[in-house]
């Protein structure tokens, strides 16, 4: 399943297994199509779900595309897709866009993630960075000024700072900049891509590189990259992992991941079956397999109830999820 990560740079993947792959598949009479797009971070989860669901339901074609969180919402609010993946909640601008088009949606958290700051394995000095140091590197005023590692910390070497990160259409970009205190904006002089694999290649090939993306992309490429521990300001360096994301100690870079389902198609048998498959606790192991963290049972139950009730709208009301507890808002 992790091989599908290589496809996240664009286009789409369609899960269409052979009809006789399993006994369950042979008995499935579901047919139809499910159009999924959105976040590159959510892509590995959606792709894994689509493959397993397609095995059991060969008459349903689930197509998973990647346009980034922002690009995915543009398609979703234009009525072009049934489901969109997002690595942040829907923004107020996107809420307005969907409202203008008469698109109502059901917001469903589906996993937890920890944004991972990475450097090259050749980097033997940046073992831990503070949130303030990340802000020093990425804030808009750093453009053209903070260009060497020793400007980040005096005892770092005098070496050029190579920066790689998601583009501005990415939910990962939005969340990261908000989390470090950059108010959603960053310097512009970095290598930007909506394809996280481009960031992997850039940092792994640059001895002085620094980048960030979702935990799954580090997990898949940890032989080529080194994760940097984060000090949130209390003097404790915490490494990103499934354990530190789940127990709440990896702050402020932990976040929920989402899918948004178009309300008007939520009763469609094929789409409803796919969404129920996606949020079922029986399939939560797929979330772990692709490198993310499955939701705690009590939160997942609230998500299932939310879809059963076809509850429309966002619990975040166009705001940020930083510091918000899912169990309290759902």
């Amino acid at each position: 399943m992790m091989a599908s990560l290589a496809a996240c740079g664009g286009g789409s993947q369609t899960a269409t297994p052979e009809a006789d792959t399993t006994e369950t598949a042979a008995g499935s009479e579901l047919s139809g199509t499910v159009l999924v797009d959105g976040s590159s971070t959510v892509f590995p989860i959606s792709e894994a779900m689509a493959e397993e669901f397609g095995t059991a339901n060969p008459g349903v074609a689930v197509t998973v595309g990647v346009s980034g969180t922002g690009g995915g919402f543009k398609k979703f609010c234009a009525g072009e897709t049934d489901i969109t993946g997002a690595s942040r909640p829907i923004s107020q601008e996107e809420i307005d866009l969907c409202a203008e088009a008469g698109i109502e949606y059901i917001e469903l958290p589906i996993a937890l993630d920890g944004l991972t700051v990475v450097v090259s394995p050749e980097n033997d000095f940046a073992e831990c960075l503070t949130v303030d140091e990340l802000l020093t590197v990425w804030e808009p005023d750093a453009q053209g000024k903070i260009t060497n590692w020793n400007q980040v910390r005096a005892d770092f070497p005098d070496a050029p700072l190579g920066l790689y990160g998601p583009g501005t259409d990415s939910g990962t970009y939005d969340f990261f900049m908000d989390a470090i205190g950059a108010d959603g904006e960053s310097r512009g002089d970095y290598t930007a891509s909506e394809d996280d694999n481009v960031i992997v290649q850039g940092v792994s090939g640059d001895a002085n590189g620094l980048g960030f993306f979702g935990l799954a992309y580090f997990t898949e490429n940890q032989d080529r990259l080194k994760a940097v521990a984060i000090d949130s300001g209390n003097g404790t360096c915490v490494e990103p992992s499934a354990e530190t994301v789940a127990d709440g100690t990896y702050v402020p870079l932990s976040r929920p991941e989402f899918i948004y389902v178009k309300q008007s198609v939520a009763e469609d048998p094929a789409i409803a079956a796919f969404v129920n498959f996606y949020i079922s606790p029986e399939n939560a192991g797929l979330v772990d397999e692709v490198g993310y963290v499955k939701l705690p049972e009590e939160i997942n139950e609230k998500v299932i109830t939310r879809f059963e009730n076809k509850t429309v709208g966002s619990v975040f009301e166009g705001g940020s999820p930083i510091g918000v507890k899912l169990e309290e808002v759902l």
Side-chain angles (χ1 to χ4, degrees):
M1 292 178 188
M2 290 304 293
S4 65
L5 286 171
C8 76
S12 61
Q13 301 292 311
T14 303
T16 53
E18 296 297 326
D20 60 352
T21 51
T22 66
E23 182 178 345
T24 304
S28 175
E29 297 180 356
L30 273 179
S31 63
T33 59
V34 184
L35 302 178
V36 185
D37 206 285
S39 166
S40 63
T41 304
V42 178
F43 173 84
I45 305 174
S46 294
E47 183 70 354
M49 294 292 179
E51 296 231 359
E52 290 297 308
F53 178 81
T55 298
N57 301 276
V60 180
V62 183
T63 300
V64 184
V66 182
S67 299
T69 295
F73 274 124
K74 289 175 184 175
K75 289 185 176 182
F76 183 75
C77 294
E80 296 175 15
T81 56
D82 304 311
I83 299 168
T84 195
S87 56
R88 56 158 173 79
I90 188 170
S91 69
Q92 186 59 54
E93 181 180 353
E94 292 155 350
I95 290 172
D96 296 340
L97 187 64
C98 276
E100 289 171 8
I103 302 293
E104 292 189 300
Y105 50 83
I106 304 165
E107 177 185 72
L108 302 173
I110 46 88
L112 300 175
D113 180 28
L115 290 193
T116 305
V117 178
V118 295
V119 295
S120 164
E122 296 179 45
N123 183 317
D124 60 0
F125 53 88
E127 302 292 337
C128 176
L129 292 172
T130 68
V131 171
D132 285 344
E133 287 170 337
L134 291 175
L135 180 60
T136 296
V137 170
W138 286 101
E139 66 183 338
D141 289 346
Q143 181 164 333
K145 299 176 183 177
I146 306 300
T147 57
N148 275 44
W149 276 99
N150 63 358
Q151 293 173 285
V152 181
R153 191 182 298 174
D155 60 0
F156 284 170
D158 181 9
L161 182 63
L163 296 176
Y164 305 82
T168 56
D169 215 19
S170 164
T172 296
Y173 169 92
D174 294 333
F175 183 89
F176 183 84
M177 297 309 162
D178 284 342
I180 66 172
D183 296 326
E185 300 290 337
S186 78
R187 64 194 296 168
D189 55 342
Y190 71 97
T191 300
S193 178
E194 305 300 340
D195 182 350
D196 292 323
N197 289 297
V198 171
I199 304 171
V200 169
Q201 292 164 7
V203 176
S204 64
D206 183 348
N208 297 307
L210 175 75
F212 64 93
F213 39 59
L215 181 61
Y217 288 89
F218 169 68
T219 301
E220 176 67 3
N221 294 282
Q222 53 189 314
D223 58 331
R224 305 167 60 191
L225 298 166
K226 185 170 72 172
V228 177
I230 302 300
D231 175 0
S232 64
N234 61 7
T236 301
C237 295
V238 181
E239 294 184 2
S241 69
E243 292 72 27
T244 58
V245 169
D247 66 20
T249 58
Y250 185 65
V251 291
L253 297 183
S254 294
R255 59 175 178 171
E257 303 291 337
F258 304 88
I259 58 171
Y260 287 75
V261 183
K262 189 162 61 176
Q263 190 270 342
S264 62
V265 300
E267 299 285 0
D268 177 278
I271 294 171
F274 177 65
V275 174
N276 281 317
F277 183 93
Y278 205 124
I279 63 178
S280 169
E282 295 179 0
N283 301 314
L286 294 175
V287 173
D288 292 332
E289 283 183 25
V290 297
Y292 294 107
V293 182
K294 64 185 178 184
L295 294 176
E297 184 177 343
E298 61 274 16
I299 294 178
N300 199 73
E301 289 176 358
K302 294 178 184 292
V303 172
I304 292 171
T305 299
R306 191 171 177 84
F307 186 62
E308 287 176 347
N309 294 340
K310 303 300 183 284
T311 304
V312 298
S314 172
V315 298
F316 298 94
E317 299 179 343
S320 169
I322 297 169
V324 176
K325 295 182 179 180
L326 284 177
E327 62 269 25
E328 294 177 358
V329 298
L330 284 174

